Structures are given as structure tokens and as C-alpha cells.
Amino acid sequence: MTPLLAVKNLAVRAKMHGHEFDLVEDVAFSLQRGEILGLVGESGSGKSVTCRALLRLLPGANLSITSGEILFDGRDFAKMTETQIRNERGASVGMIFQNPASHLDPVMSIGDQVAESIVLHRGVSKAEAWSQTVDLLRQVGIPDPERRARNFAHEFSGGMKQRAMIAAALACDPQLLIADEPTTALDVTVQAQILRLLMDLRDKRGLSIILVTHDLGVVAQACDSIAVMYGGRIVERGPKRDVLKAPFHPYTSRLIACQPAHGLGAGLLPSIPGQPPSAGDMPSGCRFHPRCDLAQTSCRETVPGLKERVSGHLAACPITEAGITEARP
Amino acid sequence: MNLHRYRFILARPLQLLPVLFGISIITFVLVRLIPGDPARVLLGAKSTPEAVARIRAQFGLDEPIWLQYVYFVKNLVLGDMGKSILYKMPVLQLIGERLAPTLLLILGSVILALALAIPLASIAATRRGRLADHTIRLISTAGLGFPPFWLAIMLIIVFSVKFDLFPVAGYGDTWGDRLHHLALPCFTVALALSAVITRNLRASMIAELASDHATAARARGLSERRVFWRHVLPNAVIPAINLLAVNIGWLIGGTVVIESVFSIPGMGQLLVRGIFTRDYMVVQSVAMVFACATVIVNFLADVLTVAIDPRVEL
Ligand SMILES: Nc1ncnc2c1ncn2[C@@H]1O[C@H](COP(=O)(O)OP(=O)(O)O)[C@@H](O)[C@H]1O
Ligand SMILES: [Mg+2]
């Protein structure tokens, strides 16, 4: 089956004070229809930059995509003109963000913001767009949608704002939803509700979702597959069950050990010693080697590429070729 | 529409009363602190004491000062602003004749300033760091630097004297004629005003263009143009409304200078003449009108803010 989205060799470069450096390098993954992919990694690992690059909406004029293909349903977003990619935004791919409060226009009603993109992409009348909007708000679980559509963002709770963002992103029935840490800013109970809504939408609409999170619990609950990012690169990816059960990359294995379910309980969580690298000051070779207990001299020299270990499960670590437990002394 | 958000409108007239009371006392006292006697100014240096006394009695200036204040307030409440010593006519009528030129001057200046500021700020913000932006910033910085009266004189020299496009001074008889006369004074005021507004609007537009909600709108497929008109502009004008109101407040006082330079028979000119001739009733009444106008402008700004920004509760 051809995937809905196939990203190949994606790189995003930043220019700052005369320096140039890659924020994201050699990123490759694919996504089937109806699949939920969890994109995980510590903050600063390049998850948001990757997501924004997919829609060519980079967070800064100093950033640019320097290489790669973003094949969506056979069309390469990376090669499109500005007008072409704009027509894909919202219509083919929707996006929601970590902080729904700041991503909604404070002075336009929720309903108008949803209806706006329906009118734009579908060219229907305002009245028709409004009735579709009310319908959509109901579908994402906003009670009393006729009245709530006329409310403004500040009249919504955090969870309701994120539901409204989802409605606006799905207004034109895109096949892919990019959700950049959609639950991080919300209460735990609300987090679970939003997650359930996303899974529901996948089941009902066959929506594919890229779900960015740094919570492996979320991945375990909602995702089909997982891609782990570190220092602007994907260091491991594969089916969720395989990666969580038998990780090949020392970073993934550390990350799993730091999760509450596997650790000693909140408060006593082990954390990975050392700091994640910052863009523009990347260590040579494997980005993780300064913090890796398995690092060898060769790790400092060459950047390891992703290699398939088990069918569909890839990792970028030559040391654990034979399995991670075997590599531990 | 949420009508309860407009409740504050009902409370405003009550809040206005203490303000007007304070202003009335201050101007009443200040105008009497200026040395000189209105009757003597009117009659000239060679006037007889009897004549001076007669005029003083005629205008109630021989009464104790507190009683004069009580009469002033009482008559004001009854809609009577007293009589001008210089013009020998009711101040109310005098103000009625002088109000239109000043209103027209202020209104024209504000419209012209906005007509300049909104497009200029939009161009500068959307072309940030490029030539157009630098040029607009340079002009608006210069616009802030020029003293208005100097600018007025320069404009008169260039457009009236050299090119003979506009009248040097005065006010017309027909509406067309009046607009022709007011064009240059309005432009003078608008240049300084638009400089302030342009800088403010540009800064808020730049912040709004980089805002999260603009990014989210782009992610829904909106064009840069649509993002600007539907999401950036409405958010960016909110802080500018208050700035404009404050500046119109200044402008109301500033008409004194502009009307003098361009010889416009308006309220500012009336106030200046009133001060020179110690025409107490005129000065007090014009000051009250100016105070009311300032309060009304701020009130309108509040209504507009509430209408545009659903978060604001007054
Ligand atoms: N406009 C920019 N210029 C330079 N560096 C940037 C810019 N935007 C983001 N970065 C850097 O890119 C890296 C990845 O950021 P991001 O994708 O936001 O991380 P994540 O979402 O995984 O927390 C960070 O080190 C961040 O500092
Ligand atoms: Mg992020």
C-alpha cells in the first residue's frame, strides 16, 4: 500500500549571526492512511520544526528547507509553489498546536474562525458554512454548539479551546492532522479526553495523525507507530509495540526507563544525565554519544544512519547491532 | 451581541459630573489670577472709574467671588453661559458660531491622519526591514520631530505662497470653500498625528503577524492577505484606539496654536482672545466645552474598544 505521507531526507537549516546550521537533518518516515504516528523526543530535539516544515510554515524567516521530499498522496510539498502549498494547507493537512489559547484569534468568534476556512476551501455560502461549522463543533464534542459558535476564545476552557482548534483544522476534511503536543498545556483528565477524541476521529474519518509528544504514555495509549527524535535526527522508528518493548537505540531505552510506568514512581524518576545538545552546537558523530553509557570512540566520528533491525523497526546505533542488552557490559 | 457589555455607557454621565465640577473651579480661579480687569481692558487706559464700575456691575464682577461662581454654575446648569464682555453677546451663541470650524478641523485632521497611517503602517509591517519600511519609519520619525507651527509655516510658504494651491488663512463661506481653507491646517495636524499612529500600528502589526493565531490561520490555508485583513488588522487597531483618543485630547488643546497660525475663527482662537481681553465668561465656557469634548472622545474610544475586543469589560 502506498503511504499517505512519505518524508525523505528532510533537512531544515537556520541562518543566525552569519552562521548556518541544520536544525533538522536526514528526517525520513512514512505514514499510512488511518495511522497515528507518535513523534517523541526531549524539548529542542526538532519535533516542532519538522512538523512545521511539512506544511512549509517554518517558525522563522531565517529557516529554510534545504533538502528532502515531502510526498503527500504522490504530490511533493517541497517542490510546490507558494500558492500550491497554500491550497494544501487546511484542505489536505490540518495542524493543531500546544497552546490552543494563543493559537485562536481573540477577537473573532470561534464559529467564524471555523467557518472562515470552510468558505475559503469549499466556496460555499456563509449560511452553509455556518451550519457545517455548528455540525463540526458538535462532532468534536462541544456542547450546545449553536450558542458556543458565537463565543470567543476567552469564553472557552482550555480543553474546549483545543476542541475548537481541532474543529477548525478539520473544517475541510483533511486526510492528515499534525498535532504538535496538543495535550501538553492541558489538565490530565482533559488530556485523556482530547486523546480519545483524536483516536475517535481516526476511527470515524480514517484520519492519519502525527502526534507530537514527549510523553511515552500517550504514545503507548494512542499511537500505532513511533519515531524518536534526538538532536534534529530520527534515531529510532518502528511499530509502537516493538519500539517500546525492545528498543535498539540507547536514547530510546533511556527515555522508556524515565517513564513513570517503568520507573520508581513520580518524584523518583531517573532522568537522562547531561543536557540535550543545542542546535548549532551539535556534537560530532552520534548526537547522543556524550550522554550515552555505551559510547565508543567510533561514535564520536561518524553519524550513524538508520538501519533496519527487525522488519519495519529501524535504529541508528551500530553498537547495539546485536541487541541492546547484549551491548550492555 | 452582548448588550450587558455596554452597561458602562449608563454610568458614564455620572462619572462626568465630578470631572466637570473640578474643571469649572480650576478655570474659574485661574482666569481670575491673570492680572488685569476685564472692564479696564475693554474701556482702555483712559477710562473713568465710574465707567469701569458701571461695566463691572453690569457683568456682575462686583459681587463676591464665591457668589460669582455660584451664579456661573447655576446659569450653566440652566443652559446659560453668560455674556461676553468683549463681543457683547451670549457666550452660547458665540460658541455656536465657533464650534463648526474647530470640529471640522479636528475631524478632518483625524480622518486624514488615519488615511495616511493605516496604509503606511500596513506597508511597513508587511515589508519589514525592506526599503519601503525604512522610508516610512524615517518619515514618521521626522514627522514627530517637526514642531507643528514650523511645519504649518513651511506648508503655507510652499503650497499657498509659492504654488498658490491653498488659501493662506481664514475660513470660507460655502462648504467647498471651507474645506479648501481647512485642507492645509488639517494636513499640518495630520502629519504629526499620523506619525504617532503609524509607529504604534506598525509595531502591533508586526507582533500580530508573528502571533500564534496568525500561524494557525496560515496553517488553515489562508493567504497572507487574508491573514492580514481578517486577523492581524483587527487585533492591531485595538491599542491604537486609545492612543488616538489621547492624541485627540491633545489636539483639542492644540487647536489654539493651529487656529492662530491659520486665522481660523474657531474655539481655539476664541479662547486666546478671551484670555487676552480677560473675557472671563468666554474663557470659562470654552474650557468647559474642551473638557466635555475630551471626555466624550475617550468615551467613544471605550465604546469602540468594547465593540472590537470581546475580552474587554468596562
Ligand atoms: N527561528 C529559529 N532560529 C534558530 N533556531 C531555531 C529557530 N526555531 C527553532 N530553533 C531551534 O531548533 C531546535 C528545535 O526546536 P523545536 O523543533 O521547537 O524543538 P521541539 O519541538 O522538539 O521541542 C531548537 O534547538 C530551537 O532552539
Ligand atoms: Mg515543540
Side-chain angles (χ1 to χ4, degrees):
Chain A
M1 200 163 67
T2 56
L4 176 67
L5 175 73
V7 179
K8 293 174 188 164
N9 190 31
L10 181 68
V12 175
R13 176 158 290 201
K15 269 189 202 148
M16 254 175 121
H17 317 300
H19 291 282
E20 284 194 26
F21 48 88
D22 285 330
L23 297 182
V24 159
E25 272 179 292
D26 202 16
V27 162
F29 62 88
S30 62
L31 191 66
Q32 300 294 340
R33 283 161 218 276
E35 179 181 346
I36 302 184
L37 168 73
L39 189 58
V40 298
E42 285 166 295
S43 103
S45 57
K47 306 183 295 292
S48 295
V49 169
T50 302
C51 289
R52 302 274 294 261
L54 299 182
L55 273 181
R56 300 239 315 256
L57 273 178
L58 290 167
N62 60 328
L63 308 188
S64 58
I65 298 176
T66 45
S67 78
E69 289 175 14
I70 304 163
L71 292 169
F72 182 91
D73 212 6
R75 310 188 289 280
D76 190 352
F77 284 2
K79 291 201 176 57
M80 284 185 171
T81 65
E82 200 45 53
T83 319
Q84 285 172 324
I85 184 73
R86 198 206 304 143
N87 290 331
E88 303 281 356
R89 294 180 191 139
S92 304
V93 184
M95 186 158 184
I96 60 172
F97 306 84
Q98 173 170 349
N99 188 350
S102 67
H103 284 87
L104 287 165
D105 186 337
V107 306
M108 184 185 274
S109 78
I110 296 292
D112 280 335
Q113 287 180 68
V114 177
E116 181 180 50
S117 49
I118 297 180
V119 171
L120 179 71
H121 289 288
R122 297 239 170 101
V124 298
S125 73
K126 278 213 160 145
E128 172 59 24
W130 189 260
S131 84
Q132 288 184 19
T133 296
V134 170
D135 228 38
L136 205 60
L137 292 179
R138 186 176 295 117
Q139 282 175 45
V140 298
I142 291 177
D144 194 6
E146 286 90 355
R147 190 177 61 83
R148 296 299 259 164
R150 283 189 294 273
N151 281 166
F152 292 87
H154 72 280
E155 296 167 295
F156 273 46
S157 68
M160 285 298 150
K161 277 182 208 142
Q162 194 58 290
R163 285 176 196 269
M165 283 292 311
I166 292 172
L170 297 183
C172 293
D173 212 9
Q175 294 138 282
L176 171 64
L177 179 70
I178 301 174
D180 191 352
E181 309 211 29
T183 61
T184 309
L186 304 175
D187 294 341
V188 184
T189 48
V190 183
Q191 278 185 19
Q193 290 166 8
I194 296 290
L195 222 49
R196 195 150 316 121
L197 171 64
L198 291 178
M199 290 160 75
D200 244 32
L201 289 167
R202 186 266 304 270
D203 296 340
K204 288 200 185 117
R205 299 178 164 228
L207 187 67
S208 305
I209 301 175
I210 296 177
L211 181 60
V212 176
T213 175
H214 50 242
D215 185 349
L216 285 177
V218 168
V219 176
Q221 192 189 337
C223 299
D224 305 304
S225 53
I226 174 172
V228 181
M229 279 197 92
Y230 188 84
R233 297 176 144 261
I234 291 182
V235 294
E236 182 156 14
R237 67 182 160 89
K240 165 189 76 181
R241 222 171 285 276
D242 298 359
V243 174
L244 290 185
K245 225 182 228 152
F248 282 102
H249 200 283
Y251 176 63
T252 315
S253 127
R254 284 294 203 163
L255 218 50
I256 294 167
C258 293
Q259 290 298 309
H262 297 261
L264 308 164
L268 289 169
L269 283 183
S271 61
I272 305 175
Q275 290 294 313
S278 62
D281 189 25
M282 285 290 168
S284 63
C286 172
R287 307 317 192 203
F288 188 58
H289 85 255
R291 298 167 78 188
C292 183
D293 56 347
L294 304 177
Q296 298 177 6
T297 5
S298 62
C299 296
R300 253 168 253 155
E301 282 146 18
T302 46
V303 185
L306 280 172
K307 272 207 185 122
E308 190 155 32
R309 301 300 171 82
V310 201
S311 148
H313 184 174
L314 297 79
C317 180
I319 309 299
T320 61
E321 208 80 69
I324 199 158
T325 34
E326 286 75 2
R328 284 237 149 76
Chain B
M1 185 127 128
N2 253 333
L3 274 181
H4 77 268
R5 295 182 57 243
Y6 294 88
R7 268 173 324 192
F8 75 96
I9 292 176
L10 302 176
R12 279 303 155 87
L14 286 176
Q15 292 165 4
L16 182 59
L17 284 178
V19 175
L20 291 183
F21 181 66
I23 302 262
S24 70
I25 288 191
I26 292 169
T27 48
F28 187 88
V29 171
L30 276 184
V31 75
R32 279 165 179 76
L33 286 180
I34 311 171
D37 179 339
R40 216 173 281 283
V41 172
L42 184 73
L43 296 173
K46 294 197 188 93
S47 53
T48 62
E50 293 77 41
V52 169
R54 205 172 52 241
I55 294 281
R56 287 181 61 87
Q58 188 187 337
F59 287 92
L61 297 173
D62 51 352
E63 306 274 6
I65 193 158
W66 63 269
L67 200 58
Q68 288 184 40
Y69 180 74
V70 171
Y71 282 143
F72 167 57
V73 173
K74 192 191 106 197
N75 288 335
L76 207 55
V77 171
L78 296 174
D80 177 6
M81 290 179 162
K83 234 173 143 186
S84 159
I85 304 176
L86 177 68
Y87 296 91
K88 305 229 166 26
M89 61 197 270
V91 175
L92 196 62
Q93 192 187 338
L94 211 50
I95 288 179
E97 286 168 9
R98 302 300 191 108
L99 200 57
T102 302
L103 274 182
L104 218 55
L105 172 66
I106 292 175
L107 205 67
S109 307
V110 170
I111 291 173
L112 204 56
L114 291 179
L116 284 171
I118 294 174
L120 285 180
S122 307
I123 291 169
T126 51
R127 288 166 186 68
R128 188 182 181 193
R130 294 203 246 151
L131 184 66
D133 182 26
H134 290 309
T135 314
I136 289 167
R137 281 168 66 196
L138 193 74
I139 293 173
S140 59
T141 310
L144 284 181
F146 293 138
F149 63 88
W150 178 85
L151 196 65
I153 292 165
M154 286 300 128
L155 288 172
I156 291 175
I157 291 174
V158 175
F159 289 104
S160 304
V161 178
K162 201 161 170 73
F163 294 112
D164 202 19
L165 289 173
F166 296 103
V168 174
Y171 189 58
D173 296 320
T174 64
W175 284 107
D177 202 17
R178 285 170 188 166
L179 287 181
H180 193 207
H181 275 87
L182 286 180
L184 222 45
C186 283
F187 190 62
T188 309
V189 177
L191 273 186
L193 185 57
S194 65
V196 182
I197 305 289
T198 302
R199 287 162 65 95
N200 177 274
L201 263 184
R202 174 186 173 273
S204 359
M205 282 171 177
I206 286 174
E208 289 295 332
L209 278 167
S211 71
D212 286 346
H213 70 82
T215 302
R218 289 184 192 106
R220 277 182 246 126
L222 268 69
S223 63
E224 240 356 88
R225 207 188 171 77
R226 231 173 243 269
V227 169
F228 186 84
W229 285 107
R230 304 209 26 151
H231 298 286
V232 169
L233 193 61
N235 280 284
V237 295
I238 293 168
I241 293 172
N242 259 309
L243 182 72
L244 184 64
V246 169
N247 274 280
I248 294 177
W250 283 106
L251 191 54
I252 290 171
T255 54
V256 171
V257 178
I258 294 292
E259 288 179 9
S260 299
V261 173
F262 286 97
S263 307
I264 301 165
M267 299 280 288
Q269 205 188 50
L270 187 63
L271 182 65
V272 173
R273 290 228 177 113
I275 291 170
F276 281 134
T277 55
R278 318 289 186 272
D279 204 344
Y280 292 165
M281 294 317 276
V282 166
V283 176
Q284 283 160 206
S285 302
V286 172
M288 294 300 280
V289 171
F290 278 7
C292 281
T294 310
V295 171
I296 289 171
V297 166
N298 280 296
F299 171 70
L300 291 179
D302 284 348
V303 174
L304 198 58
T305 305
V306 169
I308 297 184
D309 190 343
R311 291 163 296 184
V312 174
E313 289 277 350
L314 288 174

PDB file of all heavy atoms in Angstrom, chain B residues 247-259:
ATOM      1  N   ASN B 247      -4.443  61.365  21.806  1.00  0.00           N
ATOM      2  CA  ASN B 247      -3.921  62.400  20.916  1.00  0.00           C
ATOM      3  C   ASN B 247      -4.981  63.398  20.481  1.00  0.00           C
ATOM      4  O   ASN B 247      -4.682  64.573  20.280  1.00  0.00           O
ATOM      5  CB  ASN B 247      -3.259  61.753  19.705  1.00  0.00           C
ATOM      6  CG  ASN B 247      -1.812  61.406  19.997  1.00  0.00           C
ATOM      7  OD1 ASN B 247      -0.947  62.261  19.940  1.00  0.00           O
ATOM      8  ND2 ASN B 247      -1.573  60.164  20.374  1.00  0.00           N
ATOM      9  N   ILE B 248      -6.215  62.933  20.333  1.00  0.00           N
ATOM     10  CA  ILE B 248      -7.284  63.883  20.014  1.00  0.00           C
ATOM     11  C   ILE B 248      -7.479  64.818  21.198  1.00  0.00           C
ATOM     12  O   ILE B 248      -7.724  66.012  21.026  1.00  0.00           O
ATOM     13  CB  ILE B 248      -8.594  63.142  19.649  1.00  0.00           C
ATOM     14  CG1 ILE B 248      -8.402  62.363  18.343  1.00  0.00           C
ATOM     15  CG2 ILE B 248      -9.735  64.143  19.472  1.00  0.00           C
ATOM     16  CD1 ILE B 248      -9.607  61.538  17.942  1.00  0.00           C
ATOM     17  N   GLY B 249      -7.317  64.290  22.412  1.00  0.00           N
ATOM     18  CA  GLY B 249      -7.373  65.139  23.603  1.00  0.00           C
ATOM     19  C   GLY B 249      -6.350  66.267  23.525  1.00  0.00           C
ATOM     20  O   GLY B 249      -6.661  67.435  23.754  1.00  0.00           O
ATOM     21  N   TRP B 250      -5.114  65.897  23.158  1.00  0.00           N
ATOM     22  CA  TRP B 250      -4.065  66.913  22.978  1.00  0.00           C
ATOM     23  C   TRP B 250      -4.441  67.887  21.876  1.00  0.00           C
ATOM     24  O   TRP B 250      -4.215  69.089  21.978  1.00  0.00           O
ATOM     25  CB  TRP B 250      -2.743  66.250  22.595  1.00  0.00           C
ATOM     26  CG  TRP B 250      -2.038  65.608  23.723  1.00  0.00           C
ATOM     27  CD1 TRP B 250      -1.934  64.279  23.962  1.00  0.00           C
ATOM     28  CD2 TRP B 250      -1.336  66.262  24.779  1.00  0.00           C
ATOM     29  NE1 TRP B 250      -1.212  64.064  25.104  1.00  0.00           N
ATOM     30  CE2 TRP B 250      -0.830  65.258  25.632  1.00  0.00           C
ATOM     31  CE3 TRP B 250      -1.089  67.602  25.095  1.00  0.00           C
ATOM     32  CZ2 TRP B 250      -0.093  65.546  26.773  1.00  0.00           C
ATOM     33  CZ3 TRP B 250      -0.354  67.885  26.225  1.00  0.00           C
ATOM     34  CH2 TRP B 250       0.136  66.865  27.056  1.00  0.00           C
ATOM     35  N   LEU B 251      -5.005  67.318  20.824  1.00  0.00           N
ATOM     36  CA  LEU B 251      -5.326  68.103  19.639  1.00  0.00           C
ATOM     37  C   LEU B 251      -6.357  69.177  19.955  1.00  0.00           C
ATOM     38  O   LEU B 251      -6.296  70.290  19.440  1.00  0.00           O
ATOM     39  CB  LEU B 251      -5.867  67.141  18.582  1.00  0.00           C
ATOM     40  CG  LEU B 251      -6.021  67.672  17.178  1.00  0.00           C
ATOM     41  CD1 LEU B 251      -4.711  68.245  16.721  1.00  0.00           C
ATOM     42  CD2 LEU B 251      -6.460  66.548  16.269  1.00  0.00           C
ATOM     43  N   ILE B 252      -7.310  68.845  20.827  1.00  0.00           N
ATOM     44  CA  ILE B 252      -8.348  69.806  21.194  1.00  0.00           C
ATOM     45  C   ILE B 252      -7.698  71.052  21.784  1.00  0.00           C
ATOM     46  O   ILE B 252      -8.049  72.182  21.449  1.00  0.00           O
ATOM     47  CB  ILE B 252      -9.352  69.155  22.170  1.00  0.00           C
ATOM     48  CG1 ILE B 252     -10.175  68.097  21.420  1.00  0.00           C
ATOM     49  CG2 ILE B 252     -10.262  70.209  22.780  1.00  0.00           C
ATOM     50  CD1 ILE B 252     -11.043  67.246  22.312  1.00  0.00           C
ATOM     51  N   GLY B 253      -6.685  70.846  22.636  1.00  0.00           N
ATOM     52  CA  GLY B 253      -5.936  71.987  23.154  1.00  0.00           C
ATOM     53  C   GLY B 253      -5.067  72.611  22.072  1.00  0.00           C
ATOM     54  O   GLY B 253      -4.898  73.833  22.011  1.00  0.00           O
ATOM     55  N   GLY B 254      -4.545  71.764  21.180  1.00  0.00           N
ATOM     56  CA  GLY B 254      -3.625  72.223  20.147  1.00  0.00           C
ATOM     57  C   GLY B 254      -4.267  73.095  19.087  1.00  0.00           C
ATOM     58  O   GLY B 254      -3.578  73.810  18.355  1.00  0.00           O
ATOM     59  N   THR B 255      -5.622  73.065  18.997  1.00  0.00           N
ATOM     60  CA  THR B 255      -6.287  73.914  18.005  1.00  0.00           C
ATOM     61  C   THR B 255      -5.999  75.385  18.271  1.00  0.00           C
ATOM     62  O   THR B 255      -6.067  76.203  17.376  1.00  0.00           O
ATOM     63  CB  THR B 255      -7.809  73.703  18.030  1.00  0.00           C
ATOM     64  OG1 THR B 255      -8.278  73.897  19.352  1.00  0.00           O
ATOM     65  CG2 THR B 255      -8.185  72.333  17.538  1.00  0.00           C
ATOM     66  N   VAL B 256      -5.661  75.706  19.536  1.00  0.00           N
ATOM     67  CA  VAL B 256      -5.314  77.087  19.884  1.00  0.00           C
ATOM     68  C   VAL B 256      -4.188  77.583  18.981  1.00  0.00           C
ATOM     69  O   VAL B 256      -4.260  78.670  18.405  1.00  0.00           O
ATOM     70  CB  VAL B 256      -4.904  77.153  21.373  1.00  0.00           C
ATOM     71  CG1 VAL B 256      -4.334  78.518  21.712  1.00  0.00           C
ATOM     72  CG2 VAL B 256      -6.094  76.822  22.256  1.00  0.00           C
ATOM     73  N   VAL B 257      -3.149  76.749  18.821  1.00  0.00           N
ATOM     74  CA  VAL B 257      -1.995  77.143  18.010  1.00  0.00           C
ATOM     75  C   VAL B 257      -2.366  77.173  16.525  1.00  0.00           C
ATOM     76  O   VAL B 257      -2.126  78.163  15.828  1.00  0.00           O
ATOM     77  CB  VAL B 257      -0.822  76.166  18.232  1.00  0.00           C
ATOM     78  CG1 VAL B 257       0.349  76.548  17.350  1.00  0.00           C
ATOM     79  CG2 VAL B 257      -0.424  76.142  19.693  1.00  0.00           C
ATOM     80  N   ILE B 258      -2.948  76.072  16.050  1.00  0.00           N
ATOM     81  CA  ILE B 258      -3.239  75.953  14.621  1.00  0.00           C
ATOM     82  C   ILE B 258      -4.216  77.043  14.160  1.00  0.00           C
ATOM     83  O   ILE B 258      -4.027  77.666  13.116  1.00  0.00           O
ATOM     84  CB  ILE B 258      -3.817  74.549  14.317  1.00  0.00           C
ATOM     85  CG1 ILE B 258      -2.749  73.472  14.579  1.00  0.00           C
ATOM     86  CG2 ILE B 258      -4.298  74.452  12.872  1.00  0.00           C
ATOM     87  CD1 ILE B 258      -1.581  73.507  13.625  1.00  0.00           C
ATOM     88  N   GLU B 259      -5.258  77.292  14.960  1.00  0.00           N
ATOM     89  CA  GLU B 259      -6.241  78.304  14.562  1.00  0.00           C
ATOM     90  C   GLU B 259      -5.629  79.698  14.553  1.00  0.00           C
ATOM     91  O   GLU B 259      -6.037  80.557  13.776  1.00  0.00           O
ATOM     92  CB  GLU B 259      -7.458  78.247  15.491  1.00  0.00           C
ATOM     93  CG  GLU B 259      -8.302  77.010  15.224  1.00  0.00           C
ATOM     94  CD  GLU B 259      -9.504  76.909  16.152  1.00  0.00           C
ATOM     95  OE1 GLU B 259      -9.775  77.877  16.888  1.00  0.00           O
ATOM     96  OE2 GLU B 259     -10.160  75.862  16.135  1.00  0.00           O
TER      97      GLU B 259
END
